[in-house]
Amino acid sequence: QNYLDNFWPDLKAAHELFESITQARRERESESQENHGKEYPEHLPQEILEAGIKSGRYLQGTLNVNKHRAQLEAFVRLQGCGSKDTG
């Protein structure tokens, strides 16, 4: 801001761009605080997931993704199972 004010006071486009970036950053920080520092919001609250796992409605597992073909190859290893279950 100081640089623009001191060296480019008449460059309206640069000042508008700076304000736009500043506003976007404030909004992102605000969203981050609302999500308790998490980058992405959770799909379901943790309590619902835990209850669903206990009732058998949901299964808990680990998603393994092929780092070389991430969009094509992945599998889920269910917790407590020795074999690979795909899905």
Side-chain angles (χ1 to χ4, degrees):
Q1 179 70 44
N2 290 338
Y3 175 79
L4 290 175
D5 290 340
N6 291 329
F7 295 103
W8 302 99
D10 298 329
L11 192 57
K12 185 177 179 181
H15 286 274
E16 290 173 359
L17 178 61
F18 179 80
E19 289 301 321
S20 175
I21 292 170
T22 302
Q23 180 63 29
R25 187 173 175 195
R26 284 187 199 125
E27 289 174 8
R28 186 170 184 179
E29 289 172 356
S30 174
E31 289 173 4
S32 178
Q33 289 175 353
E34 290 173 7
N35 294 328
H36 307 290
K38 297 177 184 173
E39 188 171 348
Y40 300 101
E42 297 175 354
H43 291 284
L44 292 173
Q46 184 174 353
E47 300 81 30
I48 293 174
L49 290 175
E50 289 173 351
I53 291 169
K54 287 181 183 178
S55 70
R57 181 175 183 188
Y58 300 127
L59 301 174
Q60 184 172 3
T62 304
L63 175 65
N64 295 289
V65 179
N66 182 331
K67 68 181 178 180
H68 303 289
R69 297 173 45 112
Q71 294 182 352
L72 301 174
E73 294 182 11
F75 67 91
V76 175
R77 181 171 293 147
L78 296 178
Q79 187 172 340
C81 295
S83 64
K84 294 179 183 177
D85 293 328
T86 58

